[in-house]
Amino acid sequence: MCLETMALTSAYHAPVLAAEVTELLRSATNVLDCTLGGGGHSLALLEAGVQTVIGVDRDPQALAAATTRLHSFAEAGRFSAVESNYAELDGLPSLQGMAFDGILLDLGISSHQVDESDRGFTFRQGTRLDMRMGTDVSTDAAGLLNTEDEATLTRIFKAFGDEPRAARLAHEIVRRRSNKPFETSDDLVGAIRAVLGARSGAGDFARLFQAVRIAVNDELPGLERALPSLRDRLTPGGTLAVIAYHSGEDRIVKHAMRSWSAACICPPKQPTCTCRGRALGTTLTKRALTASQDEVLQNPRARSARLRAWRSAA
Ligand SMILES: C[S@@+](CC[C@H](N)C(=O)[O-])C[C@H]1O[C@@H](n2cnc3c(N)ncnc32)[C@H](O)[C@@H]1O
């Protein structure tokens, strides 16, 4: 790990692709960090000379940790934090009418959220199945597993967990919960083992727990809803950078940026162009940027990271 990244790493979370994010956003004057987490990316940007950062997170624990970490910037009027789902920013009076020349989304959860057993994101033994990122989420993982019908559970494991035996797993969950409601990680691990076999292991548990987390927090629809409204908050020439860790998230980001970069956005069957053929902006990353081997060695979480960036037309 380079010295700069080491300085950004806290016990809370090590920011992924921090140098690449900083390079993309360093010339911005005001940045909206939609996924503040432990504040690692915000710190990197503030230290690189970005004038002001507004950090958003739906998790009050993350906001408290990052606010403590960045208090000197807050005192200097360069940092402030807002508790919200980034997909709901249009309803926030404090951000009404505000535009930014840099916007960052670093999706998913932080290491701290995984490490804290009482948050219920981990498959560690005896962990209560919670997985709610913030207080805006009403149904926890146990609630979802105990109430969703078999077809919905199948969709969750197939679409978010790429699980070929999604239907069998959903069936097994429905069968088991009729005897005893799901409460802890052991209940879900038991159902996964029963369907995938005794050789299933940590990789399978991580993938299928992640599928449940994505459903509990409504992550993909939220991202899909948020992207156009965040794009519209960019000033001309402003940059949107997104780090995704899940193929479904990355697909949404790639398609959104591709369609915003198309010269003509008229419906394909429309005989003549009425949009004047002017792209809304340019994709800056033809291929997603990924972490170096060195970064992955230091921070295995970086392995699945895909960074894409887009610049609005000047
Ligand atoms: C990967 S961490 C971000 C880490 C951060 N970039 C850093 O350097 O410490 C993702 C954070 O985004 C938050 N988050 C995820 N989805 C969110 C949403 N829809 N709205 C607001 N915050 C969200 C999570 O609570 C978590 O704290």
Side-chain angles (χ1 to χ4, degrees):
M1 201 183 305
C2 71
L3 282 175
E4 271 174 39
T5 311
M6 278 172 74
L8 298 171
T9 298
S10 71
Y12 195 97
H13 183 82
V16 169
L17 291 166
E20 291 79 357
V21 166
T22 307
E23 201 46 47
L24 284 162
L25 298 178
R26 68 163 4 114
S27 61
T29 49
N30 61 337
V31 167
L32 180 66
D33 180 351
C34 296
T35 48
L36 180 63
H41 282 120
S42 285
L43 175 62
L45 293 170
L46 287 160
E47 284 183 340
V50 169
Q51 203 79 52
T52 57
V53 173
I54 296 182
V56 173
D57 208 291
R58 73 202 288 193
D59 179 353
Q61 287 184 14
L63 287 174
T67 301
T68 303
R69 189 176 188 197
L70 300 174
H71 76 276
S72 60
F73 292 98
E75 277 167 14
R78 295 180 58 200
F79 172 75
S80 58
V82 180
E83 182 180 334
S84 175
N85 182 334
Y86 63 65
E88 311 295 339
L89 297 182
D90 289 346
L92 274 191
S94 59
L95 295 187
Q96 188 109 45
M98 287 187 80
F100 301 87
D101 51 2
I103 297 182
L104 171 65
L105 285 161
D106 176 22
L107 302 169
I109 49 175
S110 64
S111 309
H112 178 81
Q113 287 166 321
V114 180
D115 293 343
E116 287 285 288
S117 278
D118 65 348
R119 299 299 303 270
F121 288 106
T122 166
F123 54 84
R124 223 173 291 130
Q125 255 186 348
T127 303
R128 197 174 59 81
L129 285 165
D130 190 325
M131 303 195 192
R132 286 171 297 179
M133 279 186 190
T135 49
D136 60 319
V137 186
S138 49
T139 305
D140 63 10
L144 179 140
L145 292 166
N146 288 322
T147 56
E148 289 296 0
D149 60 29
E150 206 170 310
T152 305
L153 291 173
T154 302
R155 258 199 315 279
I156 290 171
F157 292 119
K158 193 178 275 177
F160 307 152
D162 288 329
E163 176 49 56
R165 281 162 283 192
R168 283 181 53 201
L169 178 56
H171 186 74
E172 181 66 14
I173 288 170
V174 171
R175 190 187 72 73
R176 287 182 174 227
R177 78 189 187 195
S178 66
N179 296 328
K180 178 187 166 289
F182 277 57
E183 283 172 13
T184 69
S185 53
D186 309 338
D187 299 322
L188 183 52
V189 165
I192 295 170
R193 279 221 167 98
V195 173
L196 271 62
R199 291 179 68 177
S200 53
D204 300 299
F205 307 147
R207 178 170 52 82
L208 295 165
F209 271 62
Q210 182 187 46
V212 174
R213 184 206 88 205
I214 288 174
V216 164
N217 294 287
D218 200 29
E219 292 177 43
L220 301 193
L223 177 63
E224 219 155 5
R225 232 179 21 255
L227 286 175
S229 101
L230 293 174
R231 176 202 65 202
D232 291 346
R233 279 188 186 268
L234 283 175
T235 53
T239 300
L240 170 67
V242 186
I243 306 175
Y245 299 86
H246 178 268
S247 57
E249 288 171 340
D250 186 49
R251 211 171 301 126
I252 291 172
V253 176
K254 183 169 81 177
H255 288 158
M257 290 182 176
R258 186 185 289 163
S259 73
W260 306 341
S261 306
C264 173
I265 53 166
C266 295
K269 287 190 176 155
Q270 189 171 299
T272 50
C273 172
T274 51
C275 73
R276 299 193 194 160
R278 187 168 182 268
L280 298 173
T282 318
T283 301
L284 300 177
T285 46
K286 293 296 170 229
R287 283 168 164 259
L289 305 181
T290 54
S292 65
Q293 268 186 348
D294 193 32
E295 180 170 0
V296 173
L297 269 179
Q298 300 298 331
N299 181 10
R301 220 185 146 267
R303 180 172 292 117
S304 57
R306 298 275 174 281
L307 168 60
R308 295 184 189 272
W310 183 86
R311 179 158 297 153
S312 71

